[in-house]
Amino acid sequence: MLSYRHGFHAGNPADVFKHSVVLALLRAMQEKPGGITCIDTHTGAAVYDLSSDFACKNREFERGILPLWHAAEVAPALDDYLHQVRALNHGDTLRYYPGSSQLLRQLLRPQDRLILCELHPTEQAQLSKHFHRDRRVTLHHGDGYAALANYLPPGNGRGLILIDPPYELKTELQDLRNALEPAMQRFGHGVYALWYPLIEGKHSTPDGLPEALHLRGEKWLDLSIEIAQQKRLGRMFGCGMAIINCPFRARQTLQTIAQLFNNA
Ligand code: SAM
């Protein structure tokens, strides 16, 4: 039974951090001309309407994207990201927020591909409607973990895999570990970006996910942020992005992004 709906959380501080990181990663990979296959294992919907009942329930976007949208000045490391959000809206009013799928699609070059996996039927329907005309996009209505066996290694030899589960199930970390090991065997030089929450009483240290996955070594870049007290909701006090095989040229920008969001 899937109860998680990302519409309640779209545009919150964790989303804004995650999407800025994903954008910077892909941009760095795109400095080389070879085509890239992006896989979003847990896609959610394509675009979120911030005036919907979902988004307005807790108005989480008011703690994330909205202050950035209205900021008089934006740090250069976030310029491109904000530009992508603006591209989806008309004029000065922020209404639509891009999910990871839409953001990735906006960045695709003709030689790149996007594979979107989603389990929830409502989100699947929205994705089908939104992306059906785009030949660069493949929709996988099914388990994103299992899908990795189908799509890795990618035909073009380069890949960015975003793994962004809801962490609703107690088995999530085990599922993630079970999927990651064979994925790494099939495609050891792929760039994998894993989002994880920092929850009071659960992950009390910023190195929660790499620790839990027994991941060690310099091929990892682990970025984590604490969310400023006044922007927190519930027990989530921060989040992180753990990146396997992070391209060297992306590191500086990613670290700058994490500093910008940490306690901001
Ligand atoms: N990546 C999205 C973004 O940044 O805009 C947010 C994704 S949301 C955190 C997680 C999504 O994963 C939900 O829409 C949920 O229905 C879906 N989901 C949960 N388990 C899944 C699985 N095993 N495979 C594919 N999708 C799954």
Side-chain angles (χ1 to χ4, degrees):
M1 175 67 190
L2 293 164
S3 58
Y4 181 93
R5 300 297 301 280
H6 197 66
F8 290 113
H9 312 290
N12 73 8
D15 238 15
V16 172
F17 169 64
K18 169 182 65 189
H19 293 153
S20 314
V21 166
V22 169
L23 180 151
L25 257 181
L26 183 56
R27 287 294 198 208
M29 293 175 73
Q30 288 175 329
E31 283 175 24
K32 291 186 182 166
I36 299 165
T37 299
C38 302
I39 304 180
D40 194 345
T41 58
H42 296 71
T43 300
V47 172
Y48 298 93
D49 183 347
L50 299 180
S51 69
S52 67
D53 289 347
F54 278 102
C56 289
K57 176 138 191 283
N58 293 320
R59 307 187 71 82
E60 295 191 22
F61 62 90
E62 290 185 350
R63 300 155 192 244
I65 184 60
L66 196 65
L68 197 60
W69 177 270
H70 288 305
E73 232 181 308
V74 171
L78 301 180
D79 240 7
D80 191 1
Y81 160 74
L82 196 56
H83 179 77
Q84 299 305 324
V85 181
R86 288 201 190 281
L88 207 56
N89 288 278
H90 304 288
D92 291 338
T93 308
L94 170 66
R95 173 157 179 196
Y96 297 107
Y97 185 75
S100 48
S101 57
Q102 172 64 24
L103 182 71
L104 288 166
R105 205 251 305 242
Q106 286 177 207
L107 306 181
L108 291 186
R109 304 166 299 173
Q111 65 270 40
D112 299 328
R113 295 288 174 269
L114 179 58
I115 298 168
L116 303 173
C117 313
E118 175 56 49
L119 272 184
H120 199 292
T122 311
E123 311 296 41
Q124 288 172 351
Q126 210 244 34
L127 292 169
S128 298
K129 197 167 161 207
H130 193 80
F131 289 114
H132 77 281
R133 285 172 196 274
D134 197 329
R135 296 168 65 92
R136 292 168 304 174
V137 179
T138 301
L139 298 181
H140 180 95
H141 292 337
D143 181 8
Y145 291 130
L148 292 178
N150 299 355
Y151 298 110
L152 296 181
N156 51 13
R158 301 182 68 209
L160 169 62
I161 297 103
L162 170 64
I163 304 183
D164 180 23
Y167 292 92
E168 261 187 330
L169 303 174
K170 285 208 173 96
T171 56
E172 195 77 67
L173 277 182
Q174 188 59 47
D175 295 344
L176 181 47
R177 197 180 303 154
N178 291 345
L180 199 56
E181 268 178 29
M184 292 291 293
Q185 276 162 19
R186 297 172 79 89
F187 187 44
H189 61 276
V191 178
Y192 296 79
L194 279 57
W195 182 87
Y196 62 96
L198 294 170
I199 312 271
E200 280 166 25
K202 258 191 180 173
H203 302 290
S204 51
T205 57
D207 49 345
L209 186 70
E211 188 95 334
L213 293 176
H214 311 300
L215 295 164
R216 294 268 180 272
E218 60 202 38
K219 283 190 155 185
W220 274 91
L221 177 68
D222 186 29
L223 302 167
S224 66
I225 59 162
E226 290 205 11
I227 297 171
Q229 195 78 41
Q230 70 277 13
K231 292 186 175 174
R232 291 181 195 172
L233 263 175
R235 292 193 300 134
M236 191 168 88
F237 67 90
C239 64
M241 289 289 278
I243 301 159
I244 308 176
N245 297 326
C246 180
F248 181 74
R249 59 196 166 280
R251 283 180 176 246
Q252 180 77 52
T253 311
L254 295 178
Q255 272 153 351
T256 303
I257 290 173
Q259 276 162 14
L260 288 168
F261 283 107
N262 198 26
N263 273 311

